[in-house]
Amino acid sequence: MSVIQPPQRPLQQFFRSGPMPCPYLPGRVERKLFTRLIGPYATEVNSTLSRAGFRRSHDIVYRPVCPNCQACVPVRVPVAEFVPSRSQRRVLKLNAGVTLAERPAYATSEQYRLFSLYQNSRHGDSDMARMAMGDFAAMVDEGRADTSLLEARDERGQLVGCMLTDRLADGYSAVYSFYDAAQDRRSLGTFMILGLIERARLAGMPYVYLGYWIAHSRKMAYKAKFHPLECLGEDGWRTADIPAEE
């Protein structure tokens, strides 16, 4: 009797990018190791590589392999140990009327308007500030791997924030977020991360992955405010030696 062999999983191909100027630290060179998320194993690959310190953008999962630099440190929040700081509790109180709702990962014109306002306000000189609706839709739609959008709406039902998230085998990944930059005092970016941490807690998921923390990059400084924070190093994931915020 013949035995039907199970289908073999195709090998995952990895590539290395050419040198580019670092977008975070002036005068440094960036190179990335990357692979594409395609086929029926995309969700599994995304989970496995996220635990190994990779990050998703569109249908690409990448990790920096920069020459003579290890400034980009993968970080995640251990949900069971996380306790909001005093300032984060103020953020929650300030946004008590804001609701977070999960939506399918499909771009809308309402989201794009908020995205454009955010980019022009915060990153006006970046390539993302020049993205058209089709580019934004590609960012949301491409490479989906158990992906959803968290929409933040105020008391009037106005969209004030949005976060693209992936559900992993051991938690959630905050892929990209944007919000109404005119409401800085509400700290909507922090509010959405706190909401994702609570979502993971309710789902019994142990981690929320925040991507890369860079000690000397102002753009990445906010990640150190979530405490405790685990970082990935040569010995695996360990609690980061970062002072807790009050």
Side-chain angles (χ1 to χ4, degrees):
M1 184 176 69
S2 63
V3 176
I4 299 176
Q5 296 294 330
Q8 289 189 340
R9 176 174 170 175
L11 293 175
Q12 193 75 32
Q13 292 184 308
F14 287 82
F15 308 90
R16 189 173 66 170
S17 70
M20 297 286 290
C22 176
Y24 300 108
L25 299 176
R28 301 200 189 184
V29 174
E30 173 190 66
R31 298 193 76 165
K32 294 176 180 177
L33 180 70
F34 67 93
T35 187
R36 292 191 64 198
L37 281 183
I38 54 176
Y41 299 102
T43 298
E44 180 184 346
V45 169
N46 192 35
S47 287
T48 300
L49 292 182
S50 293
R51 288 195 296 274
F54 283 68
R55 188 76 169 148
R56 183 175 78 82
S57 176
H58 292 68
D59 62 348
I60 297 296
V61 185
Y62 67 91
R63 182 170 179 176
V65 286
C66 308
N68 305 315
C69 181
Q70 296 180 329
C72 292
V73 181
V75 292
R76 68 186 185 185
V77 178
V79 171
E81 301 171 38
F82 175 76
V83 177
S85 66
R86 184 163 55 186
S87 66
Q88 289 167 344
R89 291 195 297 272
R90 286 197 295 267
V91 170
L92 291 171
K93 184 176 181 180
L94 192 61
N95 293 286
V98 177
T99 58
L100 277 176
E102 184 177 6
R103 302 291 183 222
Y106 293 101
T108 68
S109 56
E110 182 185 31
Q111 295 164 1
Y112 174 65
R113 285 193 296 271
L114 182 62
F115 172 83
S116 294
L117 289 171
Y118 172 79
Q119 294 299 334
N120 289 327
S121 173
R122 292 296 182 87
H123 310 291
D125 58 347
S126 72
D127 291 339
M128 295 186 79
R130 295 184 286 275
M131 287 171 60
M133 177 64 192
D135 301 317
F136 173 73
M139 184 184 79
V140 173
D141 297 342
E142 291 178 352
R144 283 178 293 175
D146 205 350
T147 303
S148 62
L149 283 164
L150 289 181
E151 289 188 343
R153 294 186 180 274
D154 64 14
E155 298 84 347
R156 301 170 298 163
Q158 184 77 26
L159 183 68
V160 294
C162 197
M163 176 184 284
L164 187 67
T165 68
D166 291 341
R167 180 165 179 148
L168 309 174
D170 62 347
Y172 287 99
S173 173
V175 178
Y176 191 78
S177 61
F178 53 94
Y179 48 87
D180 184 356
Q183 300 189 48
D184 268 352
R185 61 183 295 271
R186 301 187 78 160
S187 299
L188 289 163
T190 296
F191 172 73
M192 288 190 290
I193 293 176
L194 291 171
L196 189 62
I197 293 172
E198 180 61 19
R199 195 175 195 84
R201 189 193 311 277
L202 293 174
M205 308 290 274
Y207 302 110
V208 168
Y209 290 80
L210 298 181
Y212 301 114
W213 172 63
I214 305 172
H216 300 293
S217 171
R218 183 178 57 83
K219 294 179 181 179
M220 299 296 186
Y222 72 91
K223 298 179 184 183
K225 296 180 180 180
F226 295 88
H227 203 272
L229 194 67
E230 292 185 358
C231 62
L232 181 61
E234 294 180 356
D235 299 325
W237 289 95
R238 296 287 185 271
T239 300
D241 185 18
I242 301 173
E245 184 187 52
E246 292 297 326

